[in-house]
Amino acid sequence: MAIHKIKFFAGQGSEYLAEKIVASYGTTLGKSDVLRFSDGEFQPSYNESIRGCTVFIIQSTFPPSDNLMELLMMIDAARRASAYKVVAVMPYFGWARQDRKDRPRVPIGAKLVANMLMAAGVDRIMTMDLHADQIQGFFDVPVDALYASGIFVPYIKSLNIEDLSIAAPHGFLLLQPDMGGAKRANTYAKHLGTPIIISHKERAKANVVGKMTAIGEVEGRNVLIVDDMIDTAGTICMAADMLMARGAKSVRAAITHPVLSGPAYERINDSALEEVIVTDTIPLKPEKDLHKFTVLSVADLFADVIERVHNYKEISSIFFK
């Protein structure tokens, strides 16, 4: 058994999820707050001793960038308060789409974020459905990369959908293939015993889809589109409309991270999508029309992995790839 006391804290952006994770674990959140200055600067602080403790800081780094900065400062504060280990639990890892130089004179944002987390003093990272698996290699500390398929697949099975096919948004973002999308679809198809439809998209620029075609049998199928994130919803809504025009009986989507920026909610409600299944790594906006959304919680999965890591148990057996 672990000899170091465990304590949980949450960044302000993920308190809703942190409460569920610690409840599943069987404890409560530690006390912390954030002092805000009139110019927008802020200073997180721990309101209890964490000396010698293994500290888990739960914070997804979705926009605004304050969420990332708060996480970095909480890691630094924990180090300076003599925490034994500091683990960043980042259900959604922001900037993950910037995992390579896909055109001249651009940053590799995911690597920069990894460097900042390392510089702050993090000892371990926990996250879910990274946009690109190679981001794990940007860190020199252990990375536990969880998969939402372990949550989505049982739910999809419970729906008992006949003639089910999995669609992969196997796109081309500035002529670079999204191989992770095809791999992800393959995983779902394997566990659900279904064929795959490849959706091929071409972009003129980020967040703008030019044209889209489908490769595979569509007519008479109930299609499930799987992806790691949904941002403006332009791609997925275009895919749903295209699949229905090709003769699909219905189209659903299972998307891990609901970024949902700009007109995303309105696009989804106006589209052919029957249901959009997401996790709670990022909160939905309660003022929006959410009748097409089903939210599945990642809290139990993260609580299980945290317990295993803290008590030096193996975790590979729960990875549902």
Side-chain angles (χ1 to χ4, degrees):
M1 293 294 290
I3 59 173
H4 296 276
K5 187 175 180 180
I6 186 172
K7 288 195 176 185
F8 294 88
F9 296 89
Q12 291 185 311
S14 295
E15 285 183 359
Y16 72 99
L17 178 56
E19 291 283 1
K20 290 188 279 187
I21 291 174
V22 298
S24 179
Y25 190 88
T27 185
T28 57
L29 281 175
K31 297 176 181 178
S32 63
D33 58 27
V34 177
L35 173 65
R36 294 195 174 273
F37 300 93
S38 61
D39 64 351
E41 189 176 310
F42 58 88
Q43 183 185 61
S45 65
Y46 298 97
N47 295 337
E48 59 187 75
S49 174
I50 54 175
R51 182 179 299 274
C53 296
T54 299
V55 175
F56 287 81
I57 305 169
I58 302 166
Q59 176 82 311
S60 285
T61 52
F62 54 87
S65 56
D66 282 5
N67 287 325
L68 172 60
M69 192 64 188
E70 183 183 5
L71 174 61
L72 293 169
M73 295 178 76
M74 291 183 75
I75 293 169
D76 183 73
R79 274 278 171 232
R80 296 176 188 279
S82 300
Y84 171 66
K85 295 284 185 184
V86 183
V87 182
V89 181
M90 305 170 65
Y92 171 70
F93 186 99
W95 285 269
R97 284 172 284 189
Q98 301 181 44
D99 62 295
R100 64 190 183 279
K101 279 191 68 175
D102 53 11
R103 53 196 172 96
R105 298 175 296 280
V106 297
I108 303 178
K111 173 59 176 171
L112 177 60
V113 170
N115 287 346
M116 290 191 291
L117 288 163
M118 294 291 298
V122 75
D123 292 293
R124 192 181 195 102
I125 300 290
M126 289 186 184
T127 187
M128 173 170 278
D129 277 1
L130 286 167
H131 187 67
D133 286 340
Q134 65 264 26
I135 291 173
Q136 297 175 59
F138 293 170
F139 292 91
D140 293 325
V141 295
V143 177
D144 301 307
L146 283 61
Y147 297 89
S149 50
I151 300 168
F152 285 144
V153 168
Y155 174 77
I156 296 301
K157 286 182 176 179
S158 74
L159 297 178
N160 296 315
I161 302 171
E162 296 182 353
D163 303 318
L164 179 65
S165 290
I166 302 299
H170 185 179
F172 285 82
L173 176 57
L174 301 173
L175 304 181
Q176 295 294 327
D178 177 17
M179 299 309 295
K183 179 182 176 183
R184 187 176 300 107
N186 224 16
T187 295
Y188 282 81
K190 177 180 71 175
H191 288 288
L192 292 167
T194 63
I196 294 179
I197 300 166
I198 299 296
S199 298
H200 172 83
K201 68 185 176 186
E202 295 179 359
R203 291 190 191 270
K205 57 183 179 179
N207 292 132
V208 178
V209 182
K211 61 181 180 178
M212 179 175 288
T213 57
I215 304 169
E217 183 182 352
V218 177
E219 189 170 355
R221 308 295 297 182
N222 290 300
V223 182
L224 175 70
I225 303 172
V226 297
D227 207 353
D228 63 308
M229 68 171 66
I230 181 171
D231 189 354
T232 64
T235 296
I236 198 168
C237 291
M238 182 181 288
D241 294 341
M242 179 267 295
L243 290 165
M244 290 299 290
R246 290 277 302 272
K249 289 195 289 188
S250 70
V251 182
R252 289 177 172 82
I255 313 292
T256 306
H257 307 298
V259 179
L260 298 172
S261 63
Y265 288 93
E266 291 74 20
R267 282 177 173 170
I268 288 170
N269 287 326
D270 293 339
S271 74
L273 286 164
E274 183 173 315
E275 181 183 19
V276 178
I277 310 155
V278 298
T279 75
D280 53 357
T281 58
I282 299 173
L284 298 182
K285 296 177 181 177
E287 70 274 14
K288 297 291 187 178
D289 182 356
L290 304 178
H291 77 276
K292 286 191 176 184
F293 289 87
T294 299
V295 181
L296 305 180
S297 183
V298 300
D300 290 344
L301 180 56
F302 273 97
D304 188 9
V305 173
I306 289 169
E307 190 276 330
R308 289 168 181 259
V309 166
H310 184 58
N311 291 302
Y312 306 105
K313 300 177 182 177
E314 61 87 22
I315 60 175
S316 59
S317 61
I318 67 171
F319 282 176
F320 195 100
K321 298 183 182 180

